[in-house]
């Protein structure tokens, strides 16, 4: 009987933690090891962890100094003893038969990774299923040419098939596979992209469950809701690490386009946050930061090297304005996008 280790990193989620934990302990599949990692949370979360530990003997608790999501997950991995490992963000929750369905699938497939669908839940409780147009079966060739590029996000690619393989919480990983390939999370922004990029480079077998089994919940601390001044530097760091891996693997023809697209989506997000959070309060500061992003060597190189003729017209116009450093045109386009999002 398969044993699952469920790793739950916890930081400042006291209003969501009980909902998350109830969805785990009430799973119809019972052979779970539940590892709660208190990442130095300054609220009532440490006490809630201990309360949950008293309530369910399957639960272990790690209390550690705050080090971020990557290190919290790694701390859980160090003590995990299950056959397979999953990650659950503590402000999200699970469908109650997730592990029952995964166990049935993995008993048959013996796959190193089982990937399942998720549902986006907004702050009003409205749900929207993410794309789940997964293949029925995949070969090792499919993994290399079709799946591996999707770990960079959908970006501008795969226009006819839109699922991505980015979030670690959407996968269940054979623990021995992670250990054999020394797969751990690195302390960077978008650590899931780098983790799954390496996982799908090494993986030999993948299975899919085309059902929305994970509830991904938007909250006030979501990237689109909070200004993060370090975001562009972090995007450049991720871009450099991805390109380094691609060079080491000799997979430029397979991955270069996906890596460029991934970075350009981050460029869009960075420009968007300057326009949304800074411009009206400090126009000069926002304009200078947007100019810096547009003029960046990495930004200019990514636009130059990506085949923009394959991109839909509105994105092509946006990135052409970025390439020409037309900050006011970029701002106007972003304002139009924001207006459309709120209608």
């Amino acid at each position: 009987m398969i044993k699952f280790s469920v790793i739950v990193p916890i930081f400042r989620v006291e209003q969501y933690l009980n909902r998350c934990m109830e969805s785990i302990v009430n799973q119809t599949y019972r052979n779970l090891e539940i590892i709660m990692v208190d990442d130095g949370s300054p609220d009532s979360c440490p006490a809630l962890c201990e309360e949950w530990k008293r309530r369910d003997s399957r639960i272990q608790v790690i209390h550690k100094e705050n080090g971020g999501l990557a290190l919290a997950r790694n701390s859980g991995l160090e003590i995990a003893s299950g056959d397979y490992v999953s990650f659950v963000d503590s402000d999200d929750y699970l469908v109650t038969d997730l592990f029952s369905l995964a166990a049935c699938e993995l008993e048959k497939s013996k796959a190193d990774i089982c990937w399942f669908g998720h549902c986006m839940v907004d702050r009003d409780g409205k749900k929207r299923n993410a794309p789940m147009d997964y293949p029925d079966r995949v070969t090792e060739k499919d993994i290399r040419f079709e799946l591996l590029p999707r770990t960079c996000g959908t970006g501008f690619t795969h226009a006819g098939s839109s699922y991505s393989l980015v979030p670690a919480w959407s996968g269940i990983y054979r623990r021995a596979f992670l250990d054999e390939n020394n797969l751990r999370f690195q302390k960077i922004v978008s650590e899931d992209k780098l983790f799954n990029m390496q996982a799908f480079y090494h993986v030999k077998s993948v299975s899919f469950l085309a059902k929305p089994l994970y509830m991904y919940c938007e909250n006030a601390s979501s990237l689109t809701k909070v200004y993060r001044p370090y975001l562009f530097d972090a995007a450049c760091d991720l871009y450099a690490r991805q390109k380094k891996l691609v060079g080491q693997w000799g997979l430029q023809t397979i991955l270069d386009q996906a890596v460029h697209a991934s970075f350009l989506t981050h460029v869009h997000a960075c420009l968007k946050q300057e326009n949304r959070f800074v411009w009206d309060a400090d126009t000069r500061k926002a304009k200078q930061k947007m100019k810096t992003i547009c003029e960046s060597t990495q930004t200019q190189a990514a636009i130059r090297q990506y085949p923009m003729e394959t991109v839909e017209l509105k994105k092509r116009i946006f990135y052409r304005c970025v390439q020409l450093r037309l900050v006011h045109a970029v701002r106007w386009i972003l304002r139009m996008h924001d207006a459309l999002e709120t209608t």
Side-chain angles (χ1 to χ4, degrees):
M1 187 179 189
I2 291 175
K3 178 182 178 182
F4 294 101
S5 293
V6 187
I7 298 172
V8 188
I10 296 158
F11 185 75
R12 286 184 174 169
V13 287
E14 58 187 3
Q15 66 269 50
Y16 308 114
L17 184 55
N18 285 338
R19 179 186 65 183
C20 175
M21 291 304 299
E22 285 168 3
S23 77
I24 299 173
V25 301
N26 292 327
Q27 286 285 308
T28 54
Y29 192 85
R30 306 301 296 170
N31 196 19
L32 307 179
E33 170 188 64
I34 304 165
I35 303 171
M36 302 178 75
V37 185
D38 162 34
D39 190 30
S41 190
D43 54 11
S44 64
C45 285
L48 288 172
C49 289
E50 292 300 324
E51 182 181 332
W52 275 103
K53 182 180 178 181
R54 288 191 293 270
R55 289 170 58 178
D56 195 313
S57 61
R58 298 174 297 171
I59 294 175
Q60 300 181 63
V61 174
I62 298 173
H63 296 286
K64 61 182 289 294
E65 291 185 4
N66 179 248
L69 178 62
L71 298 185
R73 286 172 170 171
N74 290 345
S75 295
L77 280 171
E78 292 309 309
I79 68 167
S81 62
D83 303 297
Y84 285 86
V85 178
S86 75
F87 306 95
V88 182
D89 287 354
S90 45
D91 50 354
D92 300 331
Y93 62 98
L94 310 178
V95 173
T96 55
D97 61 350
L98 189 160
F99 291 107
S100 291
L101 293 170
C104 289
E105 174 60 33
L106 289 167
E107 290 284 3
K108 291 184 297 183
S109 69
K110 312 295 183 186
D112 290 327
I113 300 175
C114 177
W115 199 265
F116 49 84
H118 68 275
C119 186
M120 314 287 288
V121 185
D122 69 20
R123 288 192 286 177
D124 295 324
K126 294 179 181 177
K127 297 178 180 179
R128 175 174 56 85
N129 288 347
M132 291 178 285
D133 45 335
Y134 305 140
D136 294 329
R137 293 182 59 195
V138 291
T139 63
E140 288 192 32
K141 182 179 179 181
D142 294 329
I143 292 171
R144 181 56 48 94
F145 289 92
E146 290 295 324
L147 302 191
L148 182 56
R150 293 176 187 272
T151 63
C152 298
T154 52
F156 312 137
T157 57
H158 304 291
S161 181
S162 52
Y163 73 91
S164 76
L165 299 174
V166 172
W169 42 253
S170 204
I172 295 176
Y173 306 81
R174 188 167 62 85
R175 185 172 58 86
F177 162 73
L178 298 181
D179 291 342
E180 288 161 6
N181 294 287
N182 196 29
L183 291 172
R184 293 296 186 267
F185 292 91
Q186 297 182 38
K187 192 178 179 181
I188 57 171
V189 172
S190 297
E191 59 273 292
D192 289 15
K193 279 189 177 181
L194 207 61
F195 178 81
N196 274 319
M197 187 175 173
Q198 294 175 90
F200 279 83
Y201 170 73
H202 290 289
V203 77
K204 300 300 182 186
S205 55
V206 181
S207 62
F208 291 94
L209 288 169
K211 295 184 178 182
L213 301 176
Y214 188 101
M215 300 292 113
Y216 175 76
C217 302
E218 181 188 72
N219 60 58
S221 64
S222 297
L223 274 174
T224 56
K225 307 298 179 185
V226 177
Y227 179 69
R228 302 180 186 236
Y230 56 82
L231 201 57
F232 184 65
D233 288 340
C236 291
D237 180 36
L238 173 64
Y239 186 41
R241 293 179 192 233
Q242 288 177 314
K243 290 198 296 182
K244 183 178 179 181
L245 285 176
V246 172
Q248 289 174 351
W249 297 338
L251 295 179
Q252 289 88 340
T253 56
I254 298 173
L255 285 176
D256 266 356
Q257 188 168 311
V259 168
H260 296 325
S262 171
F263 177 65
L264 290 173
T265 60
H266 285 289
V267 167
H268 179 273
C270 293
L271 290 167
K272 186 175 182 177
Q273 76 160 4
E274 295 300 325
N275 177 64
R276 177 174 287 180
F277 297 114
V278 182
W279 189 284
D280 291 335
D282 192 337
T283 300
R284 183 177 177 181
K285 181 180 178 181
K287 185 176 179 181
Q288 183 56 51
K289 184 65 176 288
M290 292 172 75
K291 183 180 178 184
T292 299
I293 294 170
C294 292
E295 292 179 344
S296 162
T297 302
Q298 293 96 324
T299 300
Q300 291 293 317
I303 294 173
R304 234 181 9 255
Q305 295 174 51
Y306 193 86
M308 283 293 168
E309 68 277 4
T310 66
V311 177
E312 61 180 324
L313 182 60
K314 63 180 182 180
K315 288 183 178 178
R316 202 182 318 158
I317 293 171
F318 174 80
Y319 285 107
R320 181 59 174 164
C321 291
V322 172
Q323 186 176 32
L324 295 174
R325 291 90 159 169
L326 302 176
V327 172
H328 283 282
V330 168
R331 169 169 160 73
W332 180 82
I333 295 170
L334 290 170
R335 284 174 62 89
M336 292 292 291
H337 289 174
D338 280 348
L340 289 173
E341 285 179 8
T342 57
T343 56

